[in-house]
Amino acid sequence: MGNSIVQLMQSRVSSPRLTEPAPDKGVMERVYRCALRAPDHMMLRPWRYLIIESSMRAALGDIFAGSAVKQDASMKPHQVEKFRAMPMRAPMMVIAISENITHPKVPVEEQVISCGAGVAYMLLALQAEGFGGVWRTGPLAENSYLKTALDIAAHETLVGFLYIGTPCGELKPVPETDLDTHFKPWQPPAQ
Ligand SMILES: Cc1cc2nc3c(=O)[nH]c(=O)nc-3n(C[C@H](O)[C@H](O)[C@H](O)COP(=O)(O)O)c2cc1C
């Protein structure tokens, strides 16, 4: 099955249910360093990550709820409370942002992809360290009120909310995928 890194990558799964403890500072520093090794055209480093520590989750939940209501004033109270509770689903969270720097050779899409690679590296690193995470977006990722409240500029992309903690119970089994469905040898078109 190849070396241990390749094995780890093939066994990566998301952990939608997360509990205490959060990884400690040392673990998270290693996880963050992995994100900073994402491939990066012209070395723009077009990423920034907001770390939501445990004690900040309630304040973030209030911002989630307020932003959701501003977007949809007809929202029912129980729906608003669902948004408020979102950050409490894990002991900590990282919000990934692509800065989308204007550059003649590096389109915005490449910067968003690069940030996404950083998130994927963090998921892998978390699992390697014995922790877990899940990458979520949903309507809040495109909510302009939320972006303003979090000081995310309109031109920046909120690439994802990475929920982090200790997986509840066993990790999910890796789903079966058929290599040949996704990978096919290319051949030049017939003349
Ligand atoms: C950009 C992006 C956004 C996602 N947003 C959500 C989301 O909002 N809610 C959710 O349940 N899963 C979301 N997912 C999917 C999960 O993170 C996860 O990849 C999926 O459940 C498959 O599980 P696996 O990673 O274990 O294969 C998103 C994935 C990506 C790449």
Side-chain angles (χ1 to χ4, degrees):
M1 203 181 175
N3 70 29
S4 59
I5 293 176
V6 177
Q7 278 181 32
L8 171 84
M9 291 175 81
Q10 291 179 68
S11 69
R12 187 207 62 78
V13 285
S14 300
S15 297
R17 294 182 59 235
L18 293 158
T19 188
E20 305 288 343
D24 67 22
K25 200 164 169 279
V27 170
M28 286 314 298
E29 272 185 27
R30 293 194 287 278
V31 168
Y32 299 149
R33 287 192 187 285
C34 289
L36 300 184
R37 287 308 307 133
D40 173 20
H41 195 176
M42 301 298 291
M43 305 288 268
L44 290 184
R45 273 89 173 98
W47 341 277
R48 59 192 191 90
Y49 296 97
L50 303 178
I51 302 166
I52 315 299
E53 305 282 8
S54 170
S55 60
M56 296 296 142
R57 290 175 302 165
L60 182 67
D62 289 342
I63 289 176
F64 276 11
S67 306
V69 170
K70 279 186 190 156
Q71 186 97 317
D72 176 7
S74 70
M75 195 174 275
K76 303 267 186 304
H78 75 273
Q79 292 172 303
V80 180
E81 291 317 304
K82 226 175 129 190
F83 282 100
R84 196 184 312 282
M86 280 178 176
M88 309 311 286
R89 293 185 290 190
M92 69 173 290
M93 188 196 282
V94 169
I95 302 179
I97 299 156
S98 172
E99 293 180 326
N100 298 340
I101 296 161
T102 302
H103 190 282
K105 289 191 178 149
V106 188
V108 161
E109 290 79 0
E110 293 187 0
Q111 300 177 47
V112 175
I113 291 168
S114 175
C115 185
V119 176
Y121 283 9
M122 286 197 280
L123 282 168
L124 285 166
L126 284 165
Q127 188 163 322
E129 295 275 2
F131 293 92
V134 59
W135 180 351
R136 297 184 190 272
T137 48
L140 282 176
E142 299 200 346
N143 181 313
S144 60
Y145 302 102
L146 179 77
K147 286 177 77 174
T148 303
L150 296 181
D151 213 12
I152 301 172
H155 72 273
E156 293 182 309
T157 302
L158 198 168
V159 170
F161 304 100
L162 178 56
Y163 289 80
I164 295 168
T166 300
C168 291
E170 295 288 302
L171 292 182
K172 299 188 304 188
V174 174
E176 290 286 326
T177 38
D178 176 32
L179 220 55
D180 296 339
T181 305
H182 300 281
F183 291 86
K184 299 184 202 297
W186 179 82
Q187 288 188 327
Q191 294 297 319

Short mmCIF file of all heavy atoms in Angstrom, two decimals, residues 8 11-18 123-124 126-133 165-175:
data_model
loop_
_atom_site.label_atom_id
_atom_site.label_comp_id
_atom_site.label_asym_id
_atom_site.label_seq_id
_atom_site.Cartn_x
_atom_site.Cartn_y
_atom_site.Cartn_z
N LEU A 8 -1.82 6.87 4.91
CA LEU A 8 -2.66 7.82 5.64
C LEU A 8 -3.61 8.55 4.69
O LEU A 8 -4.80 8.72 4.96
CB LEU A 8 -1.80 8.84 6.38
CG LEU A 8 -2.59 9.98 7.00
CD1 LEU A 8 -3.14 9.57 8.36
CD2 LEU A 8 -1.80 11.25 7.09
N SER A 11 -6.52 6.59 3.70
CA SER A 11 -7.46 6.26 4.77
C SER A 11 -8.15 7.51 5.33
O SER A 11 -8.92 7.43 6.28
CB SER A 11 -6.75 5.52 5.91
OG SER A 11 -5.87 6.43 6.56
N ARG A 12 -7.88 8.68 4.73
CA ARG A 12 -8.47 9.91 5.27
C ARG A 12 -9.99 9.88 5.17
O ARG A 12 -10.55 9.56 4.14
CB ARG A 12 -7.96 11.15 4.53
CG ARG A 12 -8.44 12.46 5.20
CD ARG A 12 -8.55 13.60 4.22
NE ARG A 12 -9.50 13.36 3.17
CZ ARG A 12 -10.83 13.47 3.31
NH1 ARG A 12 -11.37 13.82 4.46
NH2 ARG A 12 -11.63 13.23 2.28
N VAL A 13 -10.62 10.23 6.28
CA VAL A 13 -12.08 10.42 6.28
C VAL A 13 -12.39 11.66 7.10
O VAL A 13 -11.62 12.05 7.97
CB VAL A 13 -12.84 9.21 6.90
CG1 VAL A 13 -12.88 8.02 5.95
CG2 VAL A 13 -12.28 8.83 8.26
N SER A 14 -13.53 12.26 6.80
CA SER A 14 -14.00 13.37 7.62
C SER A 14 -14.61 12.83 8.90
O SER A 14 -15.10 11.70 8.93
CB SER A 14 -15.05 14.17 6.86
OG SER A 14 -14.49 14.66 5.67
N SER A 15 -14.59 13.65 9.92
CA SER A 15 -15.24 13.30 11.19
C SER A 15 -16.34 14.31 11.45
O SER A 15 -16.10 15.36 12.06
CB SER A 15 -14.22 13.31 12.32
OG SER A 15 -13.23 12.33 12.10
N PRO A 16 -17.56 14.00 10.99
CA PRO A 16 -18.65 14.99 11.17
C PRO A 16 -19.04 15.18 12.62
O PRO A 16 -19.57 16.22 12.98
CB PRO A 16 -19.81 14.40 10.35
CG PRO A 16 -19.37 13.08 9.82
CD PRO A 16 -17.96 12.81 10.24
N ARG A 17 -18.77 14.17 13.46
CA ARG A 17 -19.08 14.30 14.90
C ARG A 17 -17.78 14.40 15.67
O ARG A 17 -16.95 13.49 15.64
CB ARG A 17 -19.94 13.13 15.37
CG ARG A 17 -21.33 13.17 14.69
CD ARG A 17 -22.24 12.04 15.17
NE ARG A 17 -22.47 12.08 16.59
CZ ARG A 17 -22.22 11.05 17.42
NH1 ARG A 17 -21.74 9.92 16.95
NH2 ARG A 17 -22.46 11.17 18.71
N LEU A 18 -17.61 15.54 16.33
CA LEU A 18 -16.35 15.83 17.01
C LEU A 18 -16.61 16.22 18.45
O LEU A 18 -17.62 16.86 18.77
CB LEU A 18 -15.65 16.98 16.28
CG LEU A 18 -15.17 16.64 14.87
CD1 LEU A 18 -15.00 17.90 14.03
CD2 LEU A 18 -13.86 15.86 14.93
N LEU A 123 -6.63 18.63 7.17
CA LEU A 123 -7.43 17.43 7.50
C LEU A 123 -6.53 16.20 7.62
O LEU A 123 -6.69 15.40 8.54
CB LEU A 123 -8.49 17.19 6.41
CG LEU A 123 -9.73 18.08 6.47
CD1 LEU A 123 -10.54 17.93 5.18
CD2 LEU A 123 -10.59 17.73 7.68
N LEU A 124 -5.60 16.07 6.69
CA LEU A 124 -4.69 14.93 6.73
C LEU A 124 -3.81 14.98 7.98
O LEU A 124 -3.63 13.97 8.67
CB LEU A 124 -3.80 14.93 5.48
CG LEU A 124 -4.48 14.49 4.18
CD1 LEU A 124 -3.62 14.87 2.98
CD2 LEU A 124 -4.73 12.98 4.19
N LEU A 126 -4.40 16.47 10.80
CA LEU A 126 -5.20 16.21 12.01
C LEU A 126 -5.37 14.71 12.22
O LEU A 126 -5.21 14.21 13.33
CB LEU A 126 -6.58 16.88 11.88
CG LEU A 126 -6.57 18.39 12.09
CD1 LEU A 126 -7.88 19.00 11.60
CD2 LEU A 126 -6.36 18.73 13.58
N GLN A 127 -5.69 14.00 11.15
CA GLN A 127 -5.89 12.56 11.28
C GLN A 127 -4.57 11.87 11.67
O GLN A 127 -4.55 10.97 12.51
CB GLN A 127 -6.45 11.98 9.98
CG GLN A 127 -6.86 10.52 10.12
CD GLN A 127 -7.78 10.07 9.00
OE1 GLN A 127 -8.65 10.81 8.55
NE2 GLN A 127 -7.61 8.85 8.55
N ALA A 128 -3.47 12.33 11.07
CA ALA A 128 -2.16 11.75 11.39
C ALA A 128 -1.81 11.97 12.86
O ALA A 128 -1.12 11.17 13.48
CB ALA A 128 -1.09 12.37 10.49
N GLU A 129 -2.30 13.07 13.43
CA GLU A 129 -2.01 13.39 14.83
C GLU A 129 -3.01 12.76 15.80
O GLU A 129 -3.00 13.04 16.99
CB GLU A 129 -2.02 14.92 15.02
CG GLU A 129 -0.93 15.66 14.26
CD GLU A 129 0.40 15.72 15.02
OE1 GLU A 129 0.49 15.16 16.13
OE2 GLU A 129 1.35 16.33 14.49
N GLY A 130 -3.95 11.95 15.25
CA GLY A 130 -4.93 11.28 16.11
C GLY A 130 -6.17 12.10 16.39
O GLY A 130 -6.94 11.77 17.30
N PHE A 131 -6.38 13.16 15.61
CA PHE A 131 -7.57 13.99 15.77
C PHE A 131 -8.41 13.91 14.50
O PHE A 131 -8.18 13.04 13.66
CB PHE A 131 -7.17 15.43 16.12
CG PHE A 131 -6.54 15.53 17.48
CD1 PHE A 131 -5.16 15.43 17.63
CD2 PHE A 131 -7.32 15.67 18.62
CE1 PHE A 131 -4.57 15.48 18.89
CE2 PHE A 131 -6.75 15.73 19.87
CZ PHE A 131 -5.37 15.63 20.00
N GLY A 132 -9.40 14.77 14.39
CA GLY A 132 -10.25 14.72 13.21
C GLY A 132 -10.80 16.08 12.87
O GLY A 132 -10.68 17.04 13.64
N GLY A 133 -11.40 16.14 11.71
CA GLY A 133 -11.99 17.40 11.28
C GLY A 133 -13.00 17.17 10.17
O GLY A 133 -13.08 16.07 9.61
N GLY A 165 -11.51 18.55 16.19
CA GLY A 165 -11.61 17.99 17.55
C GLY A 165 -11.21 16.53 17.54
O GLY A 165 -10.46 16.07 16.68
N THR A 166 -11.76 15.82 18.51
CA THR A 166 -11.53 14.37 18.62
C THR A 166 -12.75 13.67 18.03
O THR A 166 -13.87 13.97 18.42
CB THR A 166 -11.36 13.97 20.10
OG1 THR A 166 -10.23 14.69 20.62
CG2 THR A 166 -11.15 12.48 20.25
N PRO A 167 -12.52 12.76 17.07
CA PRO A 167 -13.68 12.07 16.48
C PRO A 167 -14.45 11.31 17.55
O PRO A 167 -13.86 10.72 18.45
CB PRO A 167 -13.03 11.10 15.48
CG PRO A 167 -11.67 11.64 15.23
CD PRO A 167 -11.25 12.34 16.48
N CYS A 168 -15.79 11.33 17.44
CA CYS A 168 -16.64 10.54 18.34
C CYS A 168 -16.64 9.10 17.83
O CYS A 168 -17.07 8.85 16.71
CB CYS A 168 -18.09 11.05 18.32
SG CYS A 168 -18.28 12.65 19.07
N GLY A 169 -16.17 8.18 18.61
CA GLY A 169 -16.19 6.77 18.24
C GLY A 169 -15.20 6.46 17.13
O GLY A 169 -14.24 7.20 16.89
N GLU A 170 -15.46 5.35 16.46
CA GLU A 170 -14.58 4.89 15.38
C GLU A 170 -14.66 5.82 14.17
O GLU A 170 -15.71 6.43 13.93
CB GLU A 170 -15.04 3.49 14.92
CG GLU A 170 -14.89 2.41 15.97
CD GLU A 170 -13.43 2.03 16.21
OE1 GLU A 170 -12.77 1.62 15.23
OE2 GLU A 170 -12.97 2.16 17.35
N LEU A 171 -13.58 5.89 13.42
CA LEU A 171 -13.62 6.65 12.16
C LEU A 171 -14.54 5.94 11.17
O LEU A 171 -14.69 4.72 11.21
CB LEU A 171 -12.22 6.77 11.56
CG LEU A 171 -11.20 7.61 12.32
CD1 LEU A 171 -9.89 7.65 11.55
CD2 LEU A 171 -11.71 9.02 12.55
N LYS A 172 -15.15 6.73 10.29
CA LYS A 172 -16.01 6.15 9.24
C LYS A 172 -15.17 5.22 8.36
O LYS A 172 -13.98 5.50 8.14
CB LYS A 172 -16.53 7.24 8.29
CG LYS A 172 -17.37 8.31 8.88
CD LYS A 172 -17.97 9.21 7.80
CE LYS A 172 -16.97 9.86 6.85
NZ LYS A 172 -17.51 10.84 5.93
N PRO A 173 -15.78 4.19 7.79
CA PRO A 173 -15.02 3.40 6.81
C PRO A 173 -14.78 4.22 5.54
O PRO A 173 -15.59 5.10 5.21
CB PRO A 173 -15.93 2.21 6.52
CG PRO A 173 -17.28 2.58 7.01
CD PRO A 173 -17.14 3.69 8.01
N VAL A 174 -13.68 3.95 4.89
CA VAL A 174 -13.38 4.64 3.62
C VAL A 174 -14.30 4.07 2.54
O VAL A 174 -14.37 2.85 2.38
CB VAL A 174 -11.90 4.42 3.23
CG1 VAL A 174 -11.60 5.00 1.85
CG2 VAL A 174 -10.98 5.01 4.28
N PRO A 175 -15.03 4.94 1.82
CA PRO A 175 -15.93 4.40 0.79
C PRO A 175 -15.16 3.77 -0.37
O PRO A 175 -14.03 4.18 -0.66
CB PRO A 175 -16.72 5.63 0.32
CG PRO A 175 -15.91 6.81 0.72
CD PRO A 175 -15.05 6.40 1.89
#
